[in-house]
mmCIF file of all heavy atoms in Angstrom:
data_model
loop_
_atom_site.group_PDB
_atom_site.id
_atom_site.type_symbol
_atom_site.label_atom_id
_atom_site.label_comp_id
_atom_site.label_asym_id
_atom_site.label_seq_id
_atom_site.Cartn_x
_atom_site.Cartn_y
_atom_site.Cartn_z
ATOM 1 N N GLN C 268 169.491 13.007 52.016
ATOM 2 C CA GLN C 268 169.241 13.505 50.662
ATOM 3 C C GLN C 268 170.150 12.807 49.658
ATOM 4 O O GLN C 268 171.364 12.735 49.844
ATOM 5 C CB GLN C 268 169.461 15.012 50.607
ATOM 6 C CG GLN C 268 169.059 15.657 49.294
ATOM 7 C CD GLN C 268 169.359 17.147 49.267
ATOM 8 O OE1 GLN C 268 170.401 17.571 48.775
ATOM 9 N NE2 GLN C 268 168.446 17.952 49.815
ATOM 10 N N ALA C 269 169.576 12.281 48.583
ATOM 11 C CA ALA C 269 170.339 11.596 47.549
ATOM 12 C C ALA C 269 171.085 12.594 46.678
ATOM 13 O O ALA C 269 170.676 13.744 46.537
ATOM 14 C CB ALA C 269 169.406 10.751 46.688
ATOM 15 N N SER C 270 172.177 12.149 46.098
ATOM 16 C CA SER C 270 172.913 12.966 45.137
ATOM 17 C C SER C 270 172.367 12.703 43.733
ATOM 18 O O SER C 270 172.112 11.566 43.363
ATOM 19 C CB SER C 270 174.401 12.607 45.197
ATOM 20 O OG SER C 270 175.122 13.318 44.209
ATOM 21 N N ARG C 271 172.194 13.777 42.979
ATOM 22 C CA ARG C 271 171.731 13.665 41.598
ATOM 23 C C ARG C 271 172.620 14.539 40.709
ATOM 24 O O ARG C 271 172.222 15.619 40.282
ATOM 25 C CB ARG C 271 170.257 14.082 41.482
ATOM 26 C CG ARG C 271 169.268 13.076 42.055
ATOM 27 C CD ARG C 271 169.247 11.811 41.220
ATOM 28 N NE ARG C 271 168.273 10.837 41.693
ATOM 29 C CZ ARG C 271 168.517 9.911 42.603
ATOM 30 N NH1 ARG C 271 169.721 9.829 43.170
ATOM 31 N NH2 ARG C 271 167.583 9.059 42.968
ATOM 32 N N PRO C 272 173.860 14.087 40.450
ATOM 33 C CA PRO C 272 174.791 14.889 39.650
ATOM 34 C C PRO C 272 174.191 15.294 38.307
ATOM 35 O O PRO C 272 173.533 14.495 37.639
ATOM 36 C CB PRO C 272 175.988 13.956 39.461
ATOM 37 C CG PRO C 272 175.928 13.035 40.644
ATOM 38 C CD PRO C 272 174.472 12.817 40.885
ATOM 39 N N GLY C 273 174.417 16.544 37.961
ATOM 40 C CA GLY C 273 173.934 17.043 36.685
ATOM 41 C C GLY C 273 172.526 17.604 36.720
ATOM 42 O O GLY C 273 172.041 18.128 35.712
ATOM 43 N N GLU C 274 171.858 17.524 37.858
ATOM 44 C CA GLU C 274 170.494 18.050 37.950
ATOM 45 C C GLU C 274 170.526 19.575 37.803
ATOM 46 O O GLU C 274 171.294 20.259 38.472
ATOM 47 C CB GLU C 274 169.871 17.655 39.287
ATOM 48 C CG GLU C 274 168.373 17.778 39.336
ATOM 49 C CD GLU C 274 167.645 16.708 38.535
ATOM 50 O OE1 GLU C 274 168.189 15.603 38.366
ATOM 51 O OE2 GLU C 274 166.519 16.988 38.088
ATOM 52 N N LYS C 275 169.680 20.097 36.942
ATOM 53 C CA LYS C 275 169.674 21.524 36.630
ATOM 54 C C LYS C 275 168.579 22.267 37.389
ATOM 55 O O LYS C 275 167.656 21.660 37.928
ATOM 56 C CB LYS C 275 169.472 21.742 35.122
ATOM 57 C CG LYS C 275 170.444 20.990 34.237
ATOM 58 C CD LYS C 275 171.886 21.390 34.491
ATOM 59 C CE LYS C 275 172.835 20.685 33.540
ATOM 60 N NZ LYS C 275 174.264 20.980 33.830
ATOM 61 N N ILE C 276 168.697 23.581 37.397
ATOM 62 C CA ILE C 276 167.626 24.426 37.913
ATOM 63 C C ILE C 276 166.518 24.432 36.863
ATOM 64 O O ILE C 276 166.741 24.840 35.722
ATOM 65 C CB ILE C 276 168.129 25.852 38.174
ATOM 66 C CG1 ILE C 276 169.177 25.846 39.289
ATOM 67 C CG2 ILE C 276 166.962 26.778 38.532
ATOM 68 C CD1 ILE C 276 169.911 27.157 39.466
ATOM 69 N N PRO C 277 165.327 23.963 37.215
ATOM 70 C CA PRO C 277 164.277 23.870 36.195
ATOM 71 C C PRO C 277 163.533 25.185 35.998
ATOM 72 O O PRO C 277 163.477 26.042 36.881
ATOM 73 C CB PRO C 277 163.341 22.797 36.764
ATOM 74 C CG PRO C 277 163.503 22.912 38.246
ATOM 75 C CD PRO C 277 164.924 23.354 38.489
ATOM 76 N N ALA C 278 162.946 25.322 34.836
ATOM 77 C CA ALA C 278 161.999 26.400 34.584
ATOM 78 C C ALA C 278 160.616 25.952 35.050
ATOM 79 O O ALA C 278 160.327 24.750 35.126
ATOM 80 C CB ALA C 278 161.974 26.742 33.093
ATOM 81 N N LEU C 279 159.759 26.909 35.366
ATOM 82 C CA LEU C 279 158.397 26.576 35.777
ATOM 83 C C LEU C 279 157.703 25.754 34.699
ATOM 84 O O LEU C 279 156.961 24.810 35.002
ATOM 85 C CB LEU C 279 157.607 27.857 36.059
ATOM 86 C CG LEU C 279 156.135 27.680 36.448
ATOM 87 C CD1 LEU C 279 155.991 26.843 37.715
ATOM 88 C CD2 LEU C 279 155.467 29.050 36.612
ATOM 89 N N GLU C 280 157.947 26.071 33.459
ATOM 90 C CA GLU C 280 157.349 25.319 32.360
ATOM 91 C C GLU C 280 157.737 23.843 32.413
ATOM 92 O O GLU C 280 156.918 22.965 32.114
ATOM 93 C CB GLU C 280 157.794 25.926 31.029
ATOM 94 C CG GLU C 280 157.174 25.270 29.813
ATOM 95 C CD GLU C 280 157.563 25.967 28.525
ATOM 96 O OE1 GLU C 280 158.384 26.899 28.573
ATOM 97 O OE2 GLU C 280 157.041 25.568 27.463
ATOM 98 N N GLU C 281 158.969 23.558 32.826
ATOM 99 C CA GLU C 281 159.412 22.164 32.923
ATOM 100 C C GLU C 281 158.663 21.426 34.019
ATOM 101 O O GLU C 281 158.362 20.235 33.883
ATOM 102 C CB GLU C 281 160.912 22.109 33.177
ATOM 103 C CG GLU C 281 161.769 22.563 32.013
ATOM 104 C CD GLU C 281 163.241 22.531 32.361
ATOM 105 O OE1 GLU C 281 163.736 23.533 32.933
ATOM 106 O OE2 GLU C 281 163.900 21.506 32.078
ATOM 107 N N LEU C 282 158.362 22.107 35.116
ATOM 108 C CA LEU C 282 157.579 21.468 36.176
ATOM 109 C C LEU C 282 156.178 21.156 35.673
ATOM 110 O O LEU C 282 155.658 20.044 35.886
ATOM 111 C CB LEU C 282 157.507 22.381 37.404
ATOM 112 C CG LEU C 282 156.577 21.901 38.526
ATOM 113 C CD1 LEU C 282 156.982 20.519 39.042
ATOM 114 C CD2 LEU C 282 156.535 22.916 39.661
ATOM 115 N N PHE C 283 155.550 22.106 35.011
ATOM 116 C CA PHE C 283 154.213 21.860 34.473
ATOM 117 C C PHE C 283 154.231 20.704 33.463
ATOM 118 O O PHE C 283 153.320 19.872 33.446
ATOM 119 C CB PHE C 283 153.684 23.124 33.796
ATOM 120 C CG PHE C 283 153.269 24.220 34.751
ATOM 121 C CD1 PHE C 283 153.030 25.500 34.293
ATOM 122 C CD2 PHE C 283 153.114 23.975 36.109
ATOM 123 C CE1 PHE C 283 152.627 26.515 35.144
ATOM 124 C CE2 PHE C 283 152.724 24.981 36.994
ATOM 125 C CZ PHE C 283 152.474 26.258 36.497
ATOM 126 N N GLU C 284 155.272 20.641 32.658
ATOM 127 C CA GLU C 284 155.378 19.574 31.661
ATOM 128 C C GLU C 284 155.586 18.220 32.338
ATOM 129 O O GLU C 284 155.025 17.207 31.903
ATOM 130 C CB GLU C 284 156.519 19.878 30.700
ATOM 131 C CG GLU C 284 156.501 19.084 29.417
ATOM 132 C CD GLU C 284 155.313 19.387 28.522
ATOM 133 O OE1 GLU C 284 154.805 20.521 28.533
ATOM 134 O OE2 GLU C 284 154.882 18.449 27.807
ATOM 135 N N LEU C 285 156.385 18.215 33.409
ATOM 136 C CA LEU C 285 156.607 16.979 34.162
ATOM 137 C C LEU C 285 155.292 16.424 34.678
ATOM 138 O O LEU C 285 155.009 15.220 34.548
ATOM 139 C CB LEU C 285 157.558 17.252 35.336
ATOM 140 C CG LEU C 285 157.750 16.103 36.329
ATOM 141 C CD1 LEU C 285 158.570 14.979 35.703
ATOM 142 C CD2 LEU C 285 158.421 16.599 37.613
ATOM 143 N N VAL C 286 154.478 17.283 35.266
ATOM 144 C CA VAL C 286 153.197 16.838 35.810
ATOM 145 C C VAL C 286 152.261 16.409 34.688
ATOM 146 O O VAL C 286 151.558 15.393 34.799
ATOM 147 C CB VAL C 286 152.573 17.957 36.666
ATOM 148 C CG1 VAL C 286 151.141 17.617 37.052
ATOM 149 C CG2 VAL C 286 153.411 18.192 37.925
ATOM 150 N N LYS C 287 152.246 17.166 33.617
ATOM 151 C CA LYS C 287 151.359 16.855 32.488
ATOM 152 C C LYS C 287 151.635 15.473 31.919
ATOM 153 O O LYS C 287 150.704 14.751 31.516
ATOM 154 C CB LYS C 287 151.522 17.916 31.407
ATOM 155 C CG LYS C 287 150.685 17.680 30.163
ATOM 156 C CD LYS C 287 150.969 18.749 29.117
ATOM 157 C CE LYS C 287 150.238 18.463 27.812
ATOM 158 N NZ LYS C 287 150.543 19.480 26.778
ATOM 159 N N THR C 288 152.896 15.061 31.883
ATOM 160 C CA THR C 288 153.265 13.805 31.235
ATOM 161 C C THR C 288 153.505 12.657 32.219
ATOM 162 O O THR C 288 153.746 11.522 31.805
ATOM 163 C CB THR C 288 154.535 13.997 30.393
ATOM 164 O OG1 THR C 288 155.600 14.456 31.240
ATOM 165 C CG2 THR C 288 154.306 15.019 29.292
ATOM 166 N N SER C 289 153.430 12.934 33.526
ATOM 167 C CA SER C 289 153.712 11.910 34.527
ATOM 168 C C SER C 289 152.642 10.827 34.537
ATOM 169 O O SER C 289 151.451 11.092 34.335
ATOM 170 C CB SER C 289 153.788 12.549 35.915
ATOM 171 O OG SER C 289 153.948 11.557 36.920
ATOM 172 N N THR C 290 153.076 9.607 34.803
ATOM 173 C CA THR C 290 152.136 8.488 34.938
ATOM 174 C C THR C 290 151.804 8.180 36.392
ATOM 175 O O THR C 290 151.020 7.260 36.665
ATOM 176 C CB THR C 290 152.716 7.222 34.274
ATOM 177 O OG1 THR C 290 153.971 6.900 34.886
ATOM 178 C CG2 THR C 290 152.908 7.448 32.780
ATOM 179 N N TYR C 291 152.386 8.916 37.341
ATOM 180 C CA TYR C 291 152.053 8.699 38.749
ATOM 181 C C TYR C 291 150.619 9.163 39.008
ATOM 182 O O TYR C 291 150.209 10.230 38.514
ATOM 183 C CB TYR C 291 153.010 9.436 39.666
ATOM 184 C CG TYR C 291 154.402 8.852 39.696
ATOM 185 C CD1 TYR C 291 155.527 9.652 39.443
ATOM 186 C CD2 TYR C 291 154.613 7.517 39.994
ATOM 187 C CE1 TYR C 291 156.807 9.120 39.475
ATOM 188 C CE2 TYR C 291 155.884 6.973 40.019
ATOM 189 C CZ TYR C 291 156.981 7.782 39.759
ATOM 190 O OH TYR C 291 158.244 7.246 39.782
ATOM 191 N N PRO C 292 149.835 8.425 39.771
ATOM 192 C CA PRO C 292 148.440 8.806 40.010
ATOM 193 C C PRO C 292 148.272 10.217 40.569
ATOM 194 O O PRO C 292 147.305 10.906 40.228
ATOM 195 C CB PRO C 292 147.963 7.743 41.013
ATOM 196 C CG PRO C 292 148.829 6.556 40.732
ATOM 197 C CD PRO C 292 150.168 7.108 40.368
ATOM 198 N N ALA C 293 149.208 10.652 41.414
ATOM 199 C CA ALA C 293 149.087 11.971 42.023
ATOM 200 C C ALA C 293 149.098 13.091 40.995
ATOM 201 O O ALA C 293 148.549 14.175 41.233
ATOM 202 C CB ALA C 293 150.212 12.187 43.032
ATOM 203 N N ALA C 294 149.726 12.859 39.849
ATOM 204 C CA ALA C 294 149.880 13.919 38.857
ATOM 205 C C ALA C 294 148.536 14.400 38.311
ATOM 206 O O ALA C 294 148.407 15.561 37.901
ATOM 207 C CB ALA C 294 150.769 13.437 37.721
ATOM 208 N N ALA C 295 147.543 13.531 38.319
ATOM 209 C CA ALA C 295 146.241 13.905 37.762
ATOM 210 C C ALA C 295 145.518 14.939 38.614
ATOM 211 O O ALA C 295 144.628 15.643 38.116
ATOM 212 C CB ALA C 295 145.369 12.656 37.603
ATOM 213 N N ARG C 296 145.891 15.045 39.875
ATOM 214 C CA ARG C 296 145.167 15.945 40.779
ATOM 215 C C ARG C 296 146.064 16.927 41.522
ATOM 216 O O ARG C 296 145.574 17.833 42.195
ATOM 217 C CB ARG C 296 144.406 15.121 41.822
ATOM 218 C CG ARG C 296 145.329 14.192 42.603
ATOM 219 C CD ARG C 296 144.675 13.535 43.804
ATOM 220 N NE ARG C 296 145.560 12.557 44.427
ATOM 221 C CZ ARG C 296 146.607 12.851 45.167
ATOM 222 N NH1 ARG C 296 146.927 14.120 45.384
ATOM 223 N NH2 ARG C 296 147.358 11.899 45.694
ATOM 224 N N VAL C 297 147.386 16.759 41.415
ATOM 225 C CA VAL C 297 148.283 17.572 42.233
ATOM 226 C C VAL C 297 148.116 19.051 41.913
ATOM 227 O O VAL C 297 147.828 19.437 40.782
ATOM 228 C CB VAL C 297 149.762 17.141 42.017
ATOM 229 C CG1 VAL C 297 150.318 17.662 40.687
ATOM 230 C CG2 VAL C 297 150.639 17.588 43.173
ATOM 231 N N ARG C 298 148.263 19.864 42.947
ATOM 232 C CA ARG C 298 148.228 21.309 42.779
ATOM 233 C C ARG C 298 149.636 21.880 42.957
ATOM 234 O O ARG C 298 150.546 21.181 43.374
ATOM 235 C CB ARG C 298 147.250 21.919 43.785
ATOM 236 C CG ARG C 298 145.788 21.739 43.362
ATOM 237 C CD ARG C 298 144.834 21.883 44.522
ATOM 238 N NE ARG C 298 144.833 20.655 45.340
ATOM 239 C CZ ARG C 298 144.786 20.638 46.663
ATOM 240 N NH1 ARG C 298 144.763 21.764 47.356
ATOM 241 N NH2 ARG C 298 144.782 19.487 47.309
ATOM 242 N N PHE C 299 149.775 23.147 42.632
ATOM 243 C CA PHE C 299 151.062 23.819 42.682
ATOM 244 C C PHE C 299 150.955 25.016 43.623
ATOM 245 O O PHE C 299 150.064 25.858 43.461
ATOM 246 C CB PHE C 299 151.460 24.317 41.291
ATOM 247 C CG PHE C 299 151.421 23.271 40.214
ATOM 248 C CD1 PHE C 299 150.246 23.017 39.517
ATOM 249 C CD2 PHE C 299 152.555 22.539 39.889
ATOM 250 C CE1 PHE C 299 150.193 22.059 38.520
ATOM 251 C CE2 PHE C 299 152.516 21.565 38.899
ATOM 252 C CZ PHE C 299 151.331 21.331 38.221
ATOM 253 N N ASN C 300 151.857 25.090 44.592
ATOM 254 C CA ASN C 300 151.935 26.250 45.474
ATOM 255 C C ASN C 300 153.250 26.952 45.148
ATOM 256 O O ASN C 300 154.317 26.526 45.576
ATOM 257 C CB ASN C 300 151.900 25.807 46.937
ATOM 258 C CG ASN C 300 151.799 26.986 47.890
ATOM 259 O OD1 ASN C 300 151.581 28.113 47.477
ATOM 260 N ND2 ASN C 300 151.957 26.710 49.176
ATOM 261 N N ILE C 301 153.168 27.995 44.341
ATOM 262 C CA ILE C 301 154.363 28.609 43.770
ATOM 263 C C ILE C 301 154.556 30.011 44.340
ATOM 264 O O ILE C 301 153.640 30.827 44.330
ATOM 265 C CB ILE C 301 154.296 28.619 42.230
ATOM 266 C CG1 ILE C 301 153.002 29.253 41.719
ATOM 267 C CG2 ILE C 301 154.398 27.184 41.701
ATOM 268 C CD1 ILE C 301 152.909 29.307 40.197
ATOM 269 N N GLU C 302 155.754 30.261 44.814
ATOM 270 C CA GLU C 302 156.033 31.507 45.545
ATOM 271 C C GLU C 302 156.791 32.512 44.690
ATOM 272 O O GLU C 302 157.838 32.200 44.120
ATOM 273 C CB GLU C 302 156.850 31.209 46.803
ATOM 274 C CG GLU C 302 157.168 32.464 47.610
ATOM 275 C CD GLU C 302 158.024 32.194 48.833
ATOM 276 O OE1 GLU C 302 158.203 31.008 49.174
ATOM 277 O OE2 GLU C 302 158.528 33.162 49.433
ATOM 278 N N THR C 303 156.282 33.721 44.642
ATOM 279 C CA THR C 303 157.032 34.814 44.031
ATOM 280 C C THR C 303 158.045 35.325 45.052
ATOM 281 O O THR C 303 157.687 35.857 46.093
ATOM 282 C CB THR C 303 156.103 35.972 43.609
ATOM 283 O OG1 THR C 303 155.282 36.361 44.722
ATOM 284 C CG2 THR C 303 155.223 35.567 42.445
ATOM 285 N N LYS C 304 159.329 35.135 44.756
ATOM 286 C CA LYS C 304 160.395 35.635 45.628
ATOM 287 C C LYS C 304 160.687 37.067 45.201
ATOM 288 O O LYS C 304 161.383 37.333 44.223
ATOM 289 C CB LYS C 304 161.646 34.757 45.501
ATOM 290 C CG LYS C 304 161.431 33.287 45.794
ATOM 291 C CD LYS C 304 160.940 33.033 47.202
ATOM 292 C CE LYS C 304 162.008 33.217 48.247
ATOM 293 N NZ LYS C 304 161.578 32.744 49.592
ATOM 294 N N ILE C 305 160.123 37.992 45.936
ATOM 295 C CA ILE C 305 160.197 39.409 45.577
ATOM 296 C C ILE C 305 160.196 40.232 46.853
ATOM 297 O O ILE C 305 159.574 39.843 47.847
ATOM 298 C CB ILE C 305 159.010 39.794 44.659
ATOM 299 C CG1 ILE C 305 159.110 41.250 44.197
ATOM 300 C CG2 ILE C 305 157.680 39.491 45.301
ATOM 301 C CD1 ILE C 305 158.095 41.622 43.126
ATOM 302 N N SER C 306 160.907 41.338 46.833
ATOM 303 C CA SER C 306 160.995 42.198 48.008
ATOM 304 C C SER C 306 160.976 43.658 47.562
ATOM 305 O O SER C 306 161.683 44.024 46.611
ATOM 306 C CB SER C 306 162.285 41.912 48.782
ATOM 307 O OG SER C 306 162.502 42.883 49.792
ATOM 308 N N PRO C 307 160.204 44.510 48.244
ATOM 309 C CA PRO C 307 160.172 45.930 47.869
ATOM 310 C C PRO C 307 161.539 46.603 47.952
ATOM 311 O O PRO C 307 161.808 47.548 47.206
ATOM 312 C CB PRO C 307 159.199 46.544 48.891
ATOM 313 C CG PRO C 307 158.385 45.410 49.384
ATOM 314 C CD PRO C 307 159.282 44.205 49.349
ATOM 315 N N GLY C 308 162.392 46.101 48.836
ATOM 316 C CA GLY C 308 163.693 46.724 49.037
ATOM 317 C C GLY C 308 164.758 46.311 48.034
ATOM 318 O O GLY C 308 165.871 46.851 48.047
ATOM 319 N N GLU C 309 164.420 45.341 47.144
ATOM 320 C CA GLU C 309 165.399 44.870 46.159
ATOM 321 C C GLU C 309 164.768 44.820 44.771
ATOM 322 O O GLU C 309 164.680 43.766 44.144
ATOM 323 C CB GLU C 309 165.923 43.481 46.558
ATOM 324 C CG GLU C 309 166.676 43.478 47.882
ATOM 325 C CD GLU C 309 167.121 42.091 48.306
ATOM 326 O OE1 GLU C 309 166.263 41.174 48.305
ATOM 327 O OE2 GLU C 309 168.306 41.921 48.622
ATOM 328 N N PRO C 310 164.329 45.942 44.259
ATOM 329 C CA PRO C 310 163.618 45.941 42.977
ATOM 330 C C PRO C 310 164.478 45.500 41.804
ATOM 331 O O PRO C 310 163.947 45.069 40.764
ATOM 332 C CB PRO C 310 163.181 47.405 42.820
ATOM 333 C CG PRO C 310 164.150 48.181 43.654
ATOM 334 C CD PRO C 310 164.464 47.295 44.820
ATOM 335 N N GLU C 311 165.804 45.577 41.957
ATOM 336 C CA GLU C 311 166.692 45.186 40.856
ATOM 337 C C GLU C 311 166.746 43.677 40.651
ATOM 338 O O GLU C 311 167.249 43.201 39.617
ATOM 339 C CB GLU C 311 168.110 45.724 41.120
ATOM 340 C CG GLU C 311 168.896 45.007 42.210
ATOM 341 C CD GLU C 311 168.507 45.407 43.643
ATOM 342 O OE1 GLU C 311 167.584 46.241 43.810
ATOM 343 O OE2 GLU C 311 169.142 44.895 44.596
ATOM 344 N N LEU C 312 166.237 42.904 41.609
ATOM 345 C CA LEU C 312 166.339 41.451 41.536
ATOM 346 C C LEU C 312 165.140 40.775 40.867
ATOM 347 O O LEU C 312 165.167 39.569 40.626
ATOM 348 C CB LEU C 312 166.527 40.872 42.937
ATOM 349 C CG LEU C 312 167.824 41.254 43.657
ATOM 350 C CD1 LEU C 312 167.862 40.629 45.039
ATOM 351 C CD2 LEU C 312 169.046 40.838 42.839
ATOM 352 N N THR C 313 164.108 41.538 40.578
ATOM 353 C CA THR C 313 162.894 40.955 39.994
ATOM 354 C C THR C 313 162.248 41.951 39.043
ATOM 355 O O THR C 313 162.538 43.149 39.087
ATOM 356 C CB THR C 313 161.850 40.618 41.084
ATOM 357 O OG1 THR C 313 161.441 41.825 41.731
ATOM 358 C CG2 THR C 313 162.400 39.635 42.094
#
C-alpha cells in the first residue's frame, strides 16, 4: 500500500463528484456499492 500523506476522509458527495468529473473510461459506467454501517445495539452512533 502506497503512502498518501494528507489524504482526508472523503464525503460521499466527493466520491460522486470524483466519478462525475473523471476522465478514466470506467467512470462512465462504474457503479457504487455503499454500505450503511449501522447496528441496532448502537443507536447513538447513527
Side-chain angles (χ1 to χ4, degrees):
Q268 187 183 95
S270 176
R271 287 292 182 271
E274 197 73 28
K275 307 299 183 184
I276 295 170
L279 178 60
E280 183 176 5
E281 291 178 274
L282 173 59
F283 287 167
E284 196 65 30
L285 172 71
V286 170
K287 178 183 175 182
T288 59
S289 175
T290 58
Y291 289 126
R296 56 170 174 74
V297 76
R298 283 160 282 140
F299 307 87
N300 187 10
I301 53 179
E302 180 182 349
T303 52
K304 303 300 286 190
I305 184 171
S306 170
E309 297 177 310
E311 73 281 2
L312 295 179
T313 63

